[in-house]
Amino acid sequence: MSKGYWLRMRTAWVGWRNRVLASPRFQQAATRFWPTRPIARARARELFDLVAGFVYTQTLTACVQTGLLDLLARGPTSTEHVSEHCALPPPAALRLLRSAAALRLVDHLGEEWVLGRAGAALCGNAGITEMVAHHPMLYADLADPVGLLRRGGGGGRLANYWGYARTHDALESAEVDPYSRLMAASQPLVAAQIVRSYRFSRHRRMLDIGGGEGRFLETVARTAKALNLGLFDLPAVVERGRARLGEAGLESRTTFHAGSFLVDPLPRGYDLITLVRVLHDHDDAPALRLLRAIHDALPAGGRLLIAEPMAGTRGAEPAGDAYFGMYLFAMGSGRPRTSHEINAMLRLAGFATARTVATALPLTCSIIVASRGN
């Protein structure tokens, strides 16, 4: 049978399914009938979580901003101590603790409070905590989501925060400081996924474009000890990278290149170039221009490694299209792309082949490795 026939059948089935699910009579029957009751409860919880999600995120923000999670990371404590430490009236401290307990951020053991499983995981990842701390800017930009969509994105606090998204000109140190610190803090989890999934020791020289303070290079250097390194970023950012890599004892292994990868020539002589959470920050035209520049800078047989959260990744769909889709729209630059979209851009840029490399945690990042032909 034709593809059109199956599409019509699927459309008809989806229409019937949606009419049934929207029926109050069906919903009530599903909760009364014991075989379908667990499914109905799970679907109701999913729907409620969508409705209440903003309150959950604000509870998490309060836990970070008051220092509650840091306090509990030091050991069990009482409601009174939480009230004093967080500078909250006792009833407000108890309200926050109970809200956090419902989200598994904290647990109540007898008369004391301890970290919950989600809170413990959060305390073990400084990058996530940094993201939560800067989220109020995102919330402010999304206060009027329809207005944001109608004006085409950008123009708010995130656009000002990510300075490179609004200009190709050189930025001062004070302008790059906030986002450089955030990227440096959030890089280790991503870097760990990449180095476990790809063998960097097969290469001689590696250039990290948009590499910030060099946290990714530092991680790679520990696993590929003979690899010569290169860092390319805006001048003020490169200076921060020089300082950090110097402290790590890697300055002698690293060549520092200052410039804008959107307008300045890329250095040559590297058989591996990496883009870690860079491509999705840029719209299609500049992203394709960057890929073409990388293709031209690579030697025959050289490789490009792209690592970032990608749209349409099975099991990580909300991270790609929902979170990063709206985040980048508020930022005013870039979009999450599927692996198929990135592969199509790589072909347009002249790359001979591209393959997907599996990662243990695709919610954090997916990997595509492209090769320049001989």
Side-chain angles (χ1 to χ4, degrees):
M1 295 183 181
S2 69
K3 183 178 180 180
Y5 170 81
W6 289 112
L7 181 60
R8 289 192 299 273
M9 290 293 292
R10 186 170 184 270
T11 300
W13 181 85
V14 169
W16 173 84
R17 180 203 64 188
N18 290 348
R19 288 192 297 273
V20 171
L21 292 177
S23 167
R25 183 177 180 181
F26 173 79
Q27 294 172 7
Q28 294 171 11
T31 59
R32 289 195 301 266
F33 188 43
W34 69 264
T36 58
R37 187 178 299 149
I39 299 173
R41 288 175 175 173
R43 296 294 181 268
R45 171 64 187 268
E46 289 176 4
L47 182 59
F48 184 81
D49 285 346
L50 284 175
V51 174
F54 180 71
V55 178
Y56 299 165
T57 60
Q58 293 297 71
T59 300
L60 175 58
T61 300
C63 290
V64 171
Q65 290 183 347
T66 60
L68 171 62
L69 298 182
D70 290 336
L71 172 65
L72 295 182
R74 297 196 288 268
T77 192
S78 65
T79 304
E80 292 73 18
H81 189 197
V82 169
S83 172
E84 180 182 353
H85 178 85
C86 298
L88 296 173
L94 183 58
R95 184 71 58 98
L96 177 59
L97 285 164
R98 287 178 172 172
S99 297
L103 300 178
R104 298 186 175 89
L105 293 167
V106 308
D107 281 335
H108 198 195
L109 297 181
E111 297 300 317
E112 295 188 311
W113 297 91
V114 298
L115 280 179
R117 65 188 189 197
L122 191 68
C123 288
N125 192 318
I128 296 179
T129 304
E130 288 285 342
M131 289 293 289
V132 172
H134 105 285
H135 268 165
M137 288 185 288
L138 174 62
Y139 304 154
D141 286 352
L142 291 178
D144 179 14
V146 176
L148 177 69
L149 291 164
R150 285 176 175 164
R151 71 171 181 265
R157 295 181 63 184
L158 279 181
N160 290 325
Y161 180 83
W162 298 102
Y164 64 79
R166 68 178 188 274
T167 180
H168 298 166
D169 298 331
L171 299 174
E172 299 297 327
S173 179
E175 295 178 280
V176 304
D177 179 71
Y179 74 74
S180 293
R181 285 189 288 104
L182 173 61
M183 293 302 292
S186 60
Q187 193 77 288
L189 180 60
V190 176
Q193 295 296 315
I194 300 170
V195 298
R196 292 192 193 110
S197 305
Y198 186 80
R199 185 163 57 88
F200 288 87
S201 58
R202 72 183 74 185
H203 297 283
R204 293 181 304 103
R205 301 189 73 211
M206 165 192 156
L207 175 68
D208 190 25
I209 293 180
E213 297 185 2
R215 290 295 294 268
F216 178 59
L217 284 176
E218 187 179 346
T219 303
V220 172
R222 289 198 294 266
T223 65
K225 300 186 181 302
L227 186 64
N228 291 310
L229 310 171
L231 174 66
F232 189 104
D233 213 313
L234 297 172
V237 180
V238 164
E239 288 310 307
R240 299 175 67 91
R242 190 188 302 274
R244 175 178 287 278
L245 292 175
E247 292 175 359
L250 295 172
E251 187 171 4
S252 61
R253 285 178 59 184
T254 309
T255 303
F256 299 91
H257 306 274
S260 168
F261 55 70
L262 295 177
V263 295
D264 295 323
L266 298 181
R268 296 173 180 265
Y270 294 91
D271 60 322
L272 174 65
I273 292 178
T274 56
L275 292 176
V276 180
R277 298 188 298 177
V278 168
L279 196 68
H280 70 352
D281 282 357
H282 299 280
D283 295 332
D284 289 350
L288 181 57
R289 190 161 63 247
L290 173 59
L291 293 178
R292 284 174 170 157
I294 291 173
H295 175 270
D296 293 342
L298 283 168
R303 293 184 177 183
L304 164 64
L305 183 148
I306 299 169
E308 61 189 32
M310 296 181 190
T313 301
R314 182 171 295 180
E317 293 88 351
D321 279 315
Y323 178 80
F324 282 103
M326 294 303 291
Y327 187 104
L328 294 171
F329 198 71
M331 190 173 100
S333 176
R335 67 182 180 91
R337 298 177 178 90
T338 66
S339 59
H340 297 294
E341 289 174 316
I342 294 174
N343 287 336
M345 294 178 72
L346 289 168
R347 288 192 296 271
L348 287 174
F351 285 90
T353 61
R355 63 186 176 92
T356 300
V357 176
T359 62
L361 194 60
L363 181 73
T364 302
C365 73
S366 297
I367 296 175
I368 292 177
V369 176
S371 299
R372 174 171 175 160
N374 296 316

